[in-house]
Amino acid sequence: MPELPEVEVLRRSLEPHLVGDRIERVEVHNPALREPVDRAALSRHATGREVEALHRRGKYLLIDLAGGRTVAVHLGMSGRLTLVAAGTPREPHEHVAFHLRSGRRLRLRDPRRFGVVFSLPTAALPGDPHFAHLGIEPLEPGFSGAFLARAAAGRRGPVKPFLMDGTVVVGIGNIYATETLFRAGVHPRRSVARLSARRWDRIAFEAVRVLGEAITAGGTTLNDFADGEGKSGYFQVELGVYGRDGEPCSVCAGEIRRIVQAGRSTFYCPRCQR
């Protein structure tokens, strides 16, 4: 599933092409996504409006339009949002297409149909049910080891699922939580109640570093992710432990192990992570 770095890469790749362009027409070829696309509302609220800015909230791409409307897009597990020339043939599983004044087409392709596309008033976004429960952004001011320690107060569960809890901090999905804990030297099963302030500081520092490096590398392409121009990301070549069970650790040469936490694969080095 595309995580925070992938959506941020998508935003940065699309922003210079979309801002200042105008949506002339919206086509919904197949509304059957995780939440059915409201054809009439999306067309009514987006058609004829100029794109003013692109933002990201958690794993949502937000396209701000003139007149105080926003189109929100979540890629789900297999979604791709790409900008193509107007005459480009429609692909299989192309659910939604925004036809632009420039002659290009912004298309959402989603074979597994877990994506979401909807419009809403920009001012209503903070209170919308899709966003109201979301936690702090890890790449913005306020995210720190002290914040994580406060959020973990009174809890006793393992640290990795805690980092992936979107009500605490958004966008640190499975891959990046795994890599953060490896770099921080913290075992993924360690209870949040047994982490010192120093360790929380280390976790926060490494989370920001891992996410930043992934964005610079264009995201992690393990299956379906590509940016708005169709380019794959390359952070997977820098992964320290994710997907490497049975291989030697790059730090200590010990064997990387795999366990399952909350239904997700976790990879770690038993020597480096305590």
Side-chain angles (χ1 to χ4, degrees):
M1 177 182 291
E3 299 178 11
L4 184 155
E6 287 74 50
V7 181
E8 181 61 21
V9 167
L10 178 64
R11 185 194 71 79
R12 295 182 186 187
S13 69
L14 289 174
E15 186 174 47
H17 301 289
L18 290 184
V19 172
D21 211 339
R22 187 174 68 195
I23 298 172
E24 300 287 1
R25 180 165 57 94
V26 179
E27 282 186 297
V28 179
H29 302 295
N30 183 353
L33 294 177
R34 174 158 51 98
E35 297 177 10
V37 181
D38 188 330
R39 277 194 175 100
L42 188 61
S43 181
R44 183 172 66 253
H45 295 145
T47 300
R49 296 180 188 264
E50 187 169 297
V51 178
E52 293 188 334
L54 271 69
H55 302 286
R56 180 193 51 75
R57 180 69 174 109
K59 300 178 186 180
Y60 284 89
L61 178 70
L62 305 173
I63 305 172
D64 287 349
L65 305 176
R69 301 294 306 193
T70 293
V71 172
V73 180
H74 193 294
L75 298 178
M77 298 183 71
S78 62
R80 284 192 178 189
L81 192 65
T82 52
L83 194 61
V84 297
T88 303
R90 178 153 63 100
E91 289 188 337
H93 311 293
E94 184 175 322
H95 288 258
V96 181
F98 299 90
H99 296 265
L100 305 171
R101 177 177 55 195
S102 62
R104 295 169 297 185
R105 180 169 96 248
L106 182 66
R107 63 184 182 185
L108 175 67
R109 180 179 180 273
D110 189 359
R112 300 183 70 178
R113 301 189 299 183
F114 283 99
V116 177
V117 183
F118 63 98
S119 65
L120 74 166
T122 305
L125 192 146
D128 183 88
H130 296 87
F131 306 102
H133 67 287
L134 296 181
I136 193 171
E137 290 280 346
L139 300 182
E140 294 185 0
F143 179 72
S144 65
F147 168 83
L148 290 174
R150 289 193 301 271
R155 302 192 186 206
R156 303 190 65 82
V159 63
K160 181 172 173 257
F162 172 79
L163 286 180
M164 294 176 61
D165 185 345
T167 65
V168 176
V169 54
V170 296
I172 305 181
N174 192 40
I175 293 173
Y176 300 112
T178 296
E179 292 297 309
T180 292
L181 293 174
F182 170 64
R183 293 191 184 190
V186 176
H187 196 290
R189 280 180 169 156
R190 180 172 284 274
S191 169
V192 295
R194 297 180 56 228
L195 288 170
S196 65
R198 182 182 60 83
R199 286 208 161 193
W200 281 123
D201 287 342
R202 182 71 178 174
I203 289 170
F205 174 82
E206 294 297 349
V208 172
R209 189 161 72 104
V210 165
L211 294 171
E213 289 179 7
I215 291 168
T216 300
T220 300
T221 298
L222 296 178
N223 293 304
D224 297 292
F225 174 70
D227 70 12
E229 298 174 317
K231 299 175 183 176
S232 298
Y234 293 97
F235 188 69
Q236 64 269 22
V237 301
E238 301 177 25
L239 295 173
V241 288
Y242 187 87
R244 296 188 55 219
D245 52 310
E247 296 181 22
C249 172
S250 59
V251 176
C252 72
E255 184 178 306
I256 294 170
R257 296 181 183 174
R258 173 186 174 272
I259 57 174
V260 176
Q261 292 180 290
R264 307 297 299 275
S265 292
T266 294
F267 304 88
Y268 70 101
C269 173
R271 290 185 184 176
C272 295
Q273 295 173 253
R274 302 289 180 178

